[in-house]
Structure formats: structure tokens, C-alpha cells
Amino acid sequence: MEWMAWTTPTALFFVAIALLLAGMTTWELRSPSISRRGFLPISTTRGDRLFIGLLGSAYLHLLVVGVTGWSIWVASALSLVWLLSVMRWG
């Protein structure tokens, strides 16, 4: 694994994504989701909201770090808030 510079934030990010996907898979197998509408303009399932939340979090993270120059931890916290908001109310 020497081909990539594994920093602590990078490793935590990939571990969190892997755990999130495993948890969502287990949840979906135990309790299949139904489509619903929230603040997003389309009807979505839990998996849809996870995908939209992760994609939005990635863009938000890049925007915060690139434009404001804030810490990567601040950008990660804002991205987590966005993801949780989409999962709950999206």
C-alpha cells in the first residue's frame, strides 16, 4: 500500500464509507425501504438518499476546502451534517 499516502483523514474516510455501506446493506436486507418524498424534488429510497448524500458531501467538502481554506476537519463536519440531513429529511 505504499503507492498512496495514507493520512489519518483519508483512512478514516474510507473506513467510514465501508462501514456505512455494510450497515446500509444489512439494514436493507432486514427491512426493505419504501420510496418517499422529502425536501429532494424526487421520490427516493434509503439507498438513493445515501448516494445523493455522499455525492453532495464530496462536492461540499471540495468546495469548503478549496474556496475557504478551512481545515479538512471542518469540511468533514459540514459534509457529515449534509449527509445526515439528506438521510433524515431528504
Side-chain angles (χ1 to χ4, degrees):
M1 299 283 268
E2 294 179 14
W3 57 272
M4 184 174 175
W6 285 95
T7 63
T8 301
T10 303
L12 289 175
F13 173 76
F14 283 108
V15 168
I17 295 297
L19 290 173
L20 186 63
L21 290 174
M24 285 293 290
T25 300
T26 304
W27 189 11
E28 188 66 30
L29 291 174
R30 290 184 180 258
S31 171
S33 64
I34 58 172
S35 292
R36 68 173 176 88
R37 286 189 56 114
F39 68 82
L40 295 172
I42 56 174
S43 183
T44 58
T45 62
R46 282 190 298 251
D48 297 333
R49 289 188 301 275
L50 176 65
F51 178 75
I52 292 167
L54 287 173
L55 192 61
S57 292
Y59 285 119
L60 178 64
H61 199 274
L62 290 172
L63 181 72
V64 169
V65 170
V67 174
T68 65
W70 291 347
S71 164
I72 194 168
W73 295 108
V74 172
S76 296
L78 291 174
S79 295
L80 181 63
V81 169
W82 167 252
L83 176 64
L84 293 175
S85 298
V86 168
M87 290 301 293
R88 176 67 178 109
W89 298 292

